[in-house]
Amino acid sequence: MVAKEQMVEKSPLGCVSSLATSDFSVIGSQKLEFSPGINIVIGENGTGKSHFLKLVYCATRSLYPERLGRMGTRSREGFGKTIGERLLEVFQPDALGRLCSRRIGRQRAEVTLAFDGADAPLSFSFATNSASSVNVTSLPSDLPQSPAGRPIFFPTREVVTLVPYFIDLYENNKLFGFDETYYDLCKALTGTLKRGPKALETLELAQPLRDAVSGKLTVEPASGRFYLLQTDGGKFEMPLVAEGMRKLAMLSHLIMNGSLRRHSLVLWDEPEANLNPKLIRVLAAALVNLAANGVQIMIATHSLFLMREISYLSRKAERGAPKSGKRKKPKTPVRYFALVKGDGVIDVQAGDDLEDLTTIASLESAVDQDNRLEGEYWEEER
């Protein structure tokens, strides 16, 4: 029984430690070394932020079985087909080869994803004439036997209003315009809430989110629809709830049903969308707390406010009284990546602090706006 619990709770892969690409999409050829805590990707539109997150998601997600003990074929050919199909479903190109860098002549994209707990990386490649399968050249020998702990991808919008109807529609029709991350997230939301001691542990992480939205998600058994059950007992249909609050309620629910657990990976594209600064602070605190509890996080963002809040919270030590005997909390490791448009290529700047980056597009725009407003003020004063 203990062995089974350990198998479910901990993935043998561990955290994603690095990603190396060659001629992949707009990303081109890059090498990123990730933090086991929080990883923040910033840059102008079109620099490949979402592509980085989706590539990590597709590769990692393909290594987990759909059901407990049902990995299916474990051959490299089998994984090559699985990875290729997931790339097609998430990126939605006309053909797999369209994900190669767009240059004259035949290209070959190569991807290597390393894990800190695996004996070998996942490496695969495909060419411009590849239709639906990749060539796997390296694979970890010890792979997860359980879907527990597999990565969760949050698209820019919430999906809680789509459950449960979207699941059946997607399975039967593969709805164009909605990639597979929406389907995977909807499935994760339908997980059963945890009971007992584990529920109390997760409640501590989820409670600040519940307080921010003044309630929690509840499911109507007959329809399977989600509602916001408010602290005062009121119940609202989710389409009637502000979208920013839906996102926080969704995050809280995924914590409580065990989808976000130790050794899992969260990837979130523009988590600040539809959130005001007050709720962004709540979100930043939740992400830092999740990272401190063993969840690896990767986000793509345009929000300087969110970046600064995470930077501040990750460095903040617990200030207990000298006689309390409480230890200070260690700094939550954060790594920053700035994607910068170069001469026909994307350059990547990386650092363990915001000050390590020389190009922060959102900061430059904010400074430019301040300068323009200040200039206008002095012109009016003349």
Side-chain angles (χ1 to χ4, degrees):
M1 182 66 180
V2 174
K4 182 177 180 181
E5 283 296 316
Q6 290 176 343
M7 178 184 70
V8 172
E9 286 296 325
K10 183 177 180 179
S11 164
L13 297 174
C15 294
V16 179
S17 57
S18 67
L19 169 69
T21 64
S22 176
D23 288 329
F24 182 84
S25 186
V26 297
I27 296 172
S29 301
Q30 307 289 350
K31 176 68 181 291
L32 279 68
E33 302 283 347
F34 295 116
S35 160
I38 301 177
N39 299 272
I40 301 177
V41 184
I42 64 175
E44 298 180 28
N45 292 100
T47 53
K49 299 185 301 299
S50 299
H51 283 207
F52 268 116
L53 266 60
K54 288 183 175 181
L55 176 57
V56 172
Y57 179 74
C58 289
T60 308
R61 178 71 172 77
S62 300
L63 299 180
Y64 285 80
E66 292 299 321
R67 295 182 178 84
L68 184 64
R70 295 190 181 182
M71 177 57 78
T73 176
R74 302 180 69 86
S75 67
R76 291 186 178 182
E77 292 77 12
F79 278 107
K81 182 178 180 181
T82 298
I83 294 169
E85 290 175 348
R86 196 161 294 278
L87 287 169
L88 287 169
E89 293 294 342
V90 171
F91 283 91
Q92 298 192 328
D94 290 340
L96 184 61
R98 300 284 290 172
L99 291 178
C100 289
S101 295
R102 305 293 175 87
R103 297 202 304 269
I104 297 175
R106 182 173 295 182
Q107 307 297 325
R108 188 165 193 86
E110 298 179 353
V111 176
T112 297
L113 199 68
F115 304 87
D116 65 8
D119 60 351
L122 168 64
S123 297
F124 61 88
S125 64
F126 57 92
T128 49
N129 62 344
S130 297
S132 60
S133 182
V134 305
N135 178 38
V136 176
T137 55
S138 177
L139 195 67
S141 60
D142 189 12
L143 292 172
Q145 299 296 315
S146 165
R150 64 190 179 189
I152 297 284
F153 190 101
F154 289 82
T156 53
R157 62 155 294 177
E158 57 79 29
V159 304
V160 70
T161 52
L162 303 179
V163 180
Y165 314 112
F166 181 85
I167 296 175
D168 289 336
L169 286 172
Y170 189 87
E171 290 176 344
N172 295 323
N173 300 287
K174 298 294 182 183
L175 300 173
F176 182 76
F178 289 92
D179 64 59
E180 195 174 54
T181 63
Y182 287 86
Y183 171 74
D184 286 345
L185 186 53
C186 284
K187 291 286 287 184
L189 281 166
T190 61
T192 305
L193 295 178
K194 301 302 176 185
R195 309 290 182 186
K198 291 292 182 183
L200 295 178
E201 294 176 10
T202 54
L203 180 59
E204 185 176 352
L205 290 171
Q207 193 60 53
L209 296 165
R210 290 184 170 187
D211 292 341
V213 300
S214 300
K216 63 180 180 180
L217 290 185
T218 184
V219 181
E220 185 69 31
S223 65
R225 291 184 65 188
F226 279 104
Y227 291 79
L228 181 65
L229 180 62
Q230 292 192 314
T231 307
D232 62 7
K235 190 169 77 170
F236 284 89
E237 299 89 333
M238 292 311 297
L240 302 181
V241 179
E243 183 162 353
M245 297 180 72
R246 292 181 221 159
K247 293 174 73 172
L248 296 188
M250 180 175 64
L251 180 60
S252 169
H253 191 77
L254 289 169
I255 292 172
M256 291 303 299
N257 74 10
S259 293
L260 304 184
R261 65 179 71 217
R262 186 176 295 276
H263 304 292
S264 63
L265 170 65
V266 172
L267 306 105
W268 202 333
D269 198 1
E270 297 184 24
E272 74 277 5
N274 298 303
L275 292 178
N276 62 42
K278 181 179 179 180
L279 292 184
I280 288 178
R281 289 186 61 185
V282 176
L283 172 65
L287 294 178
V288 171
N289 286 336
L290 282 170
N293 280 271
V295 178
Q296 188 178 23
I297 295 171
M298 299 183 186
I299 65 173
T301 180
H302 292 289
S303 172
L304 182 62
F305 186 93
L306 176 60
M307 284 185 275
R308 284 174 164 170
E309 190 69 18
I310 290 176
S311 177
Y312 166 73
L313 292 174
S314 67
R315 295 194 302 255
K316 185 179 179 182
E318 184 177 356
R319 295 185 175 90
K323 296 181 180 180
S324 66
K326 297 176 69 176
R327 292 186 302 172
K328 290 184 177 180
K329 293 186 295 185
K331 173 184 174 182
T332 300
V334 182
R335 190 154 177 80
Y336 301 86
F337 304 91
L339 310 186
V340 184
K341 291 181 179 179
D343 186 14
V345 297
I346 301 298
D347 296 321
V348 178
Q349 301 171 4
D352 295 328
D353 200 288
L354 269 175
E355 285 69 24
D356 294 334
L357 305 181
T358 59
T359 304
I360 302 177
S362 55
L363 176 58
E364 292 175 352
S365 298
V367 171
D368 176 68
Q369 183 184 58
D370 288 342
N371 290 336
R372 287 186 287 112
L373 290 172
E374 184 178 3
E376 183 182 28
Y377 169 80
W378 286 113
E379 286 180 4
E380 291 176 352
E381 288 292 306
R382 290 174 183 172

